[in-house]
Amino acid sequence: MENELRVPTMAELFAAGQQPEVLFWVGCAGSFDDRAKKITKAFVKILNKANVSFAVLGTEESCTGDPAKRAGNEFLFQMQAVTNIEVLNAYAVKKVVTACPHCFNTIKNEYPGLGGNYEVVHHTQFLKQLLDEGRISMEGGKFKGKRITFHDPCYLGRANNVYEAPRDLIRKLDAELVEMKNCKKRGLCCGAGGAQMFKEPEKGSKDINIERTEQALDIKPEIIAAGCPFCNTMLTDGVKNKEKEATVAVMDIAELIASAEDL
Amino acid sequence: MDYIPNIIFAIILFAGIGFFAKNIKKLARNIKLGKAADTSDNKSQRWNNMFRIALGQTKMVVRPIPGILHIIVYLGFIIINIEVLEIIIDGLFGTHRIFAFLGGFYSFLIGSFEILALLVIVAVVIFWIRRNLIKVRRFLNPEMKGWPKKDGNLILYIELILMILFLTMNAADYQLQQMNVAHYTKAGAFPVSQFIAPMFQEMSVSSVIGIERSAWWLHIVGILMFLNYLYYSKHLHILLAFPNTYFGKLRPKGQFDNLEAVTKEVKLMMDPTADPFAAPDGNATVPEKFGASDVMDLKWVQLLNAYTCTECGRCTSECPANQTGKKLSPRKIMMDTRDRLEEVGKNIDANKGEFVADGKQLLGDYITHEELWACTSCNACVEACPVSIDPLSIIMDMRQYLVMEQSAAPSDLNNMMGNIENNGAPWPFNQMDRLNWSKES
Ligand code: HEM
Ligand code: SF4
Ligand code: SF4
């Protein structure tokens, strides 16, 4: 039986005079995209299980402005940023966790210059910390020996030098971590960044997500692990395009852990 | 009339250096056409980067074969140039091997120069083979046609010739030393050129002196020509790699600058007490142009980047857009920026120090919209560059111009931005539905 998710909002906690340990920034994909919502829920299940004191902004959250900024619309970006910062500062938020590397990068690096200073972590870093503190166990061995490869999101890896947290978590699942031809610093983009997610690609010989999916399939994984809702979509499409969806799953790290814990 | 060669030498030397200085001045002026950039922060980190990346060549060896070959050429060239110091003194004062008094150490120096020279020859030949016979892919992109291709080979020929002249000069010198010719003091060790020397055995002393002198003169004139060739070549990197790695980006690669001019306007718009009809304050200047459409709109560091580019194409070969057949090539972005900057510089030269509008700009005439919109902002090019160049920053600045000055984004992106503006998400969902996921099973 699935337990109901406990998802407190900042407004509720504030009204009750409480301050959560961490704000979970859900992001637009995590809020609206059907595939990404599953990642959001998996992450919340883990937070609930580990009794993490957290809250979301809910309807007070708005796009960080990342796609606008990468598309060149600095106005719209800064409007979004300033609005969000006002809300975050009003709730005196200290720490932010998010499952989207784009939100992560923007809030961590680009908000401070506009008055938003928070400790920002990606959910893989947060989960790694929960693990280190013994707040989640990750037993079960459901993924024991499974071939799993990790696709580095550009905005987590190269952009912010986070390579090990997601890999440590995969290893902890007793899975066999296999690396693609391009990984870590030289990871190949899924094709979604820089606002490409929202437009048709320029003319070329191939779509970027197909190229990346081919690199992944080359090493014959059972699971392609991702840490970004956009990468997830791109790679899922790639796997479908190659008609491999029956044998190769694309899963977020949070989904792997939630599944390992039978949540 | 013994001092005529000294005078000729002095004239050639100063003309060579003078012409070079003139070009460097032009270079500095062109770079200063760029907008201000604050690079006064983190000095120790900057020095550290320069030592590691330029001096230490750390990012070159990410690709081991060209990396190691390059280290040979780089070290060889720098070290052998210590010899140039002696050549200049000898040339100016009519001495011969002025440092010979160093004795054993001198022999060690000359001996190591010779071995390095041989290694440089080997490396340069392999470089040439990679470019022309093996045809390594990154040397074959469309932007490498014409001059860039010629330039790449020319440099290799020049270095080859300089090394051969150096060894020939030593070989003839060694032969003359063996013949006990006056003026040719016995000094130095010749581990490589002693094998060339036998070719001169049958010749008369005066012919060997002729060869030695010719090689000596051609070598130094060659070096001066090489120095002056730099400005017209991707070989400018041998100097600019150092400042460029010093001024390279220090912040996380994902962090893009927040445009200050925009911050001001946004603050004004968000501030309910601001009077939108208030007269602009006294020091308000002409409204700034948002983003970049030409080289003058870029920052000077970006222009320095353009002059530093070695045209190696490591960026382009890692670029996901380029790998999948899109027109975008980050190397071309850098080469276009340099070409346009040179054009602007020439325009200024021709118009007595003023730039006269020529109806051209970087955007459109050099870099197309199609290239700019193909970028995923993945930073692979930035990571790949062995000399800390940031092609992505130029792409982003030009996108800002397209969107904020020309509203020329692809229509899909306009939809996306409209959605963010209206509903706070890139898709047409209602902000009030943001938490619905928590109630769906
Ligand atoms: C006296 C100093 C130097 C000399 C003589 C020199 C010489 C050369 C030559 C001959 C090439 C062409 C190789 C080819 O044909 O493929 C080259 C390429 C290159 N050089 Fe240098 N160089 C010097 C300094 C530097 C420094 C300080 C750096 C900084 C890291 C640097 C970075 C590069 C890069 C990135 C390339 C492109 C190599 C590639 O194909 O991957 N060079 N250099
Ligand atoms: S940032 Fe843009 S130009 Fe650079 S490698 Fe990625 S897609 Fe290519
Ligand atoms: S930008 Fe850097 S990586 Fe690209 S061609 Fe120039 S030197 Fe090479």
Side-chain angles (χ1 to χ4, degrees), chain A residues 46-222:
Chain A
I46 303 169
L47 294 177
N48 283 167
K49 167 101 185 290
N51 272 319
V52 174
S53 132
F54 79 100
V56 299
L57 283 175
T59 54
E60 289 184 282
E61 187 186 283
S62 186
C63 176
T64 57
D66 161 83
K69 187 173 179 89
R70 316 294 142 182
N73 196 337
E74 182 75 7
F75 266 110
L76 184 52
F77 160 69
Q78 291 203 15
M79 295 285 286
Q80 289 299 116
V82 170
T83 314
N84 283 322
I85 290 168
E86 259 177 28
V87 175
L88 291 167
N89 288 355
Y91 286 123
V93 169
K94 301 268 174 310
K95 182 167 179 174
V96 178
V97 61
T98 175
C100 173
H102 297 266
C103 300
F104 165 71
N105 175 71
T106 306
I107 303 176
K108 174 174 168 291
N109 296 321
E110 290 160 0
Y111 277 20
L114 300 167
N117 292 286
Y118 322 101
E119 180 194 347
V120 188
V121 292
H122 186 244
H123 72 314
T124 56
Q125 294 173 303
F126 193 80
L127 290 170
K128 173 71 171 38
Q129 204 183 339
L130 290 183
L131 181 73
D132 290 345
E133 290 167 358
R135 292 168 75 181
I136 50 173
S137 55
M138 291 174 66
E139 277 156 18
K142 202 177 205 172
F143 295 98
K144 195 176 164 98
K146 282 223 152 79
R147 278 175 78 84
I148 303 183
T149 187
F150 180 68
H151 164 78
D152 289 281
C154 301
Y155 276 85
L156 184 66
R158 262 191 305 274
N160 288 293
N161 287 315
V162 179
Y163 300 107
E164 289 312 318
R167 289 184 166 78
D168 287 345
L169 290 166
I170 293 174
R171 284 192 204 99
K172 197 67 196 172
L173 291 168
D174 279 340
E176 184 193 349
L177 175 64
V178 284
E179 296 290 359
M180 287 181 250
K181 181 175 128 209
N182 283 91
C183 65
K184 300 184 185 169
K185 270 183 190 318
R186 291 180 81 173
L188 182 71
C189 178
C190 70
Q196 295 295 339
M197 184 73 195
F198 307 99
K199 62 184 265 297
E200 287 303 312
E202 273 57 36
K203 222 171 77 231
S205 52
K206 204 191 248 184
D207 283 344
I208 295 174
N209 68 324
I210 302 296
E211 177 75 20
R212 185 52 165 171
T213 306
E214 284 170 358
Q215 281 196 353
L217 295 179
D218 275 350
I219 54 167
K220 310 219 171 327
E222 285 155 274

Side-chain angles (χ1 to χ4, degrees), chain B residues 282-400:
Chain B
N283 53 15
T285 42
V286 200
E288 195 181 344
K289 175 170 167 185
F290 296 115
S293 61
D294 208 348
V295 286
M296 299 77 103
D297 307 326
L298 295 169
K299 293 186 169 156
W300 67 264
V301 175
Q302 293 169 310
L303 302 184
L304 173 65
N305 278 184
Y307 275 122
T308 307
C309 178
T310 69
E311 296 170 17
C312 69
R314 291 175 187 224
C315 51
T316 295
S317 77
E318 301 276 312
C319 173
N322 194 273
Q323 280 177 23
T324 54
K326 317 293 190 290
K327 284 221 176 83
L328 173 63
S329 159
R331 166 173 56 192
K332 177 177 174 292
I333 301 286
M334 301 318 300
M335 293 169 68
D336 284 344
T337 304
R338 179 172 175 172
D339 289 347
R340 172 60 183 160
L341 183 54
E342 271 301 294
E343 186 176 57
V344 168
K346 289 203 180 98
N347 179 313
I348 293 176
D349 290 336
N351 294 299
K352 305 188 186 70
E354 282 293 322
F355 176 69
V356 175
D358 57 357
K360 286 203 222 167
Q361 57 174 10
L362 184 60
L363 177 67
D365 296 304
Y366 288 83
I367 300 173
T368 59
H369 295 205
E370 182 178 345
E371 290 163 68
L372 296 173
W373 290 118
C375 175
T376 72
S377 73
C378 72
N379 265 303
C381 51
V382 183
E383 178 64 45
C385 182
V387 290
S388 308
I389 289 171
D390 183 353
L392 173 56
S393 68
I394 297 182
I395 296 173
M396 282 299 144
D397 288 357
M398 295 182 77
R399 278 190 182 183
Q400 287 183 341

Side-chain angles (χ1 to χ4, degrees), chain B residues 19 44 90 108 123 125 249 259 289 316 335 386 392 402 415:
Chain B
F19 196 64
S44 63
D90 284 349
F108 169 75
V125 169
K249 181 171 180 172
L259 265 189
K289 175 170 167 185
T316 295
M335 293 169 68
L392 173 56
L402 283 177
N415 289 341

Side-chain angles (χ1 to χ4, degrees), chain B residues 24 53 62 64 112 126 292 299 322 356 362 378 401 412 440:
Chain B
I24 291 292
I53 301 170
V62 171
S112 16
I126 300 176
K299 293 186 169 156
N322 194 273
V356 175
L362 184 60
C378 72
Y401 178 83
D412 289 341
E440 298 161 4

